[in-house]
Amino acid sequence: MKTISRMTMVAGTKAAAAPGSVRARAPLATPNRIGNTARSAVSQMAGAPAGRVVVSRRRDLSLNAVYQDGQKLDRPLRVAIVGGGPAGACAAEECAKAGIETFMVERKMDNCKPCGGAIPLCMIDEFDLPSEIIDRKVNRMKMISPSNVEVDIGSTLKPNEYIGMTRREILDDYLRQRAEENGAKVINGLFMGMEQKEGEKGPWTMKINSYEGEEKKKVDLEVDVVVGADGANSRVAKIIDAGDFDYAIAYQERIRIDDDRMKFYENLAEMYVGDDVSPDFYGWVFPKYDHVGVGTGTVINKPAIKEYQDAIRDRAGDKISGGQIIKIEAHPIPEHPRPKRIEGRVALVGDAAGYVTKCSGEGIYFAAKSGRMCGEAIAARSKQGTQMIGERDLRTYLSKWDRKYWPTYKVLDILQKVFYRSNAAREAFVEMCSSEYVQRMTFDSYLYKTVVPGNPISDLKLLWGTVGSILRSNALRVSQGPTVTFGRK
Amino acid sequence: MAAPASTSMTRTTRRTTLFRAARAPRVTVRRSPVSRASENGSTAVVEAKKERSPSPLEKGGTLDGEKALGKDPAGATKAKLNKKLGTASEQTFEDERWVNQTWDLSQFSGSDGNTDWDAVIDAEMERRRILEENPSPSSLKEKVLFDTAIIPWWAWVRRFHLPEAEKINGRAAMVGYFMALVIDGLTGTGIWDQQNSFLGKVALNVAVIGIMFIGSTSDLGKLKGLWEEATFYDEQWNKSWEGVERPEDDE
């Protein structure tokens, strides 16, 4: 159904281009330019004089006139979004809603990304997600310390509060379809590169290997603004020289376990800490729709990731024993934002920008939200697509984003630095999480994504208790196991 | 999985070397020209060019060589590897005083009939040491119930702080006395007058607290490291704003 509608979209633009005989008269190096054909279609619809639509190469250039920031456009603004995950889809939806001509490039429409797939409660409301995409409602969590002290978290949750577990292929597809319904043009293609032929205020020409139709076709797409939502290994980031980030490798095995054991994980997620499962992160057992995801991650010792994976399987022990591994996945997870997140008329969002929290490693909500905020900024600053925007306009998104979410990221950074240092600190972490006050605060901030200041007296008590826990567990530590520091690498 | 195990198999005699170095020779290959580069520049540069670019697992914050010292998954993972090779002395934790997943305090009563908390602390230290080197699976049936908070605060203080306190007090007294002497010599204000003045009291407190934080010169490095760690993430975030004027939110 969906592929058919996409095919007709392409066919439709071609048909619209045919009367203007774009390709027949313009001696273009590349045979097929989506940007041209689509634009001619749009400008005809907008009632632009037909004579202005491409007659020769020279005229073509005059149409591509270099627009200064803020200059009025006689056609809608053209935005290309590279990547069709939550970040890309949400950015595309906002742009398309505002009447901007939006293209979204995604190669794998059924990409089943290795990912915990947990989304906070507020995302369901904010992004209007239907209940079908939630596979499981997790309302209990277990934290397990290096010496196997277990703490059950979740008793403070209200009956209607839960962490939603989703499958990424379902969630991404839903968000993409919604963008498409709002008017975004989804291109099944691989983004190969892009260049600005007419200086830094000129349009971007994107090279795409299109897989629309039967076979691969090389096409060029011409746009004004590019949003890079293409994940941790972003090509867009590379092209604009956005710099690198440190990253963790997350390794996950999807394991199908028998019904009795699965019942145990029905609405329970487990989180293991200890330097056996990861020197600077945690290991997990998350329930998926009919199996569990068992995994771990690390930044500082990535070559040993398989040993850590063995360790997490051992630690989960009997609870997952006898299971069958149905899939193995690994993926880089950014540790911090890239040095450059905006360059000229190119912006990065989601994992491509590096918006993953420390400590919990959460990224779906932040990706979707950053995509949406970027789309909103483009729509607002271009006056619904009627004028050209520049770096400063895109930076309004960055500024809002940093102001809004910096505290959340910083708090989680501090938590990671304090509590993932050593086994002793991890013991203290688990001890601390047994306090109901801590559970309420962490769940509130996770589910609703706001850092709510707590009761100062309880905070002081908590500080006192935490310092006590850390001192005690450090005192008990005789073996000289590893201690991690989180400074410059 | 098989490859690293077999490489370590050949090196079982060098078990004491770092885990990473033992199981991944390619890391050492990559490292060698760099270390040589510091000795004689020109030849090493040519060599370095021949190197394959590091794999994604070795980039992006992976620590290597000197920097990885002490940050490797030492005890735990090494022990696991040993187990696989069949050379490890597998140590499982067992103790007759550990009953129903907690320390049976009745077995810890000292000669005076009260609980001997020092013995409890010792026993728990040993338990954690064994678990750290031989992590045991978490179990549904046997939940650990022991909570270190049941050991009273004075037992911790007596055990861990008092031996240190002697040192700290001694140092504070020496530093304080020496500074008082210097001030006396410079200004002619006697020790008694210094004690009575507000400035003197402030200086006294600064000396005592300072000694608590900076017991030795190595502590200075530690504090500096902590400060760097605390501000590092801020720097990483603020990179995108360097040299750029920040637009207002309502713009």
Side-chain angles (χ1 to χ4, degrees), chain A residues 8 30 32 100 189 259 268 332-333 354 368 409 441 447 451-452 455 465 485:
Chain A
T8 52
T30 43
N32 188 356
I100 294 168
D259 291 348
L268 169 83
I333 296 181
Y409 281 91
M441 294 290 286
L447 292 177
V451 177
V452 192
N455 172 355
T485 49

Side-chain angles (χ1 to χ4, degrees), chain A residues 340-359:
Chain A
K340 221 194 273 173
R341 285 173 276 164
I342 287 185
E343 170 78 16
R345 289 173 185 162
V346 182
L348 299 175
V349 294
D351 273 19
Y355 297 144
V356 179
T357 60
K358 296 263 190 109
C359 198

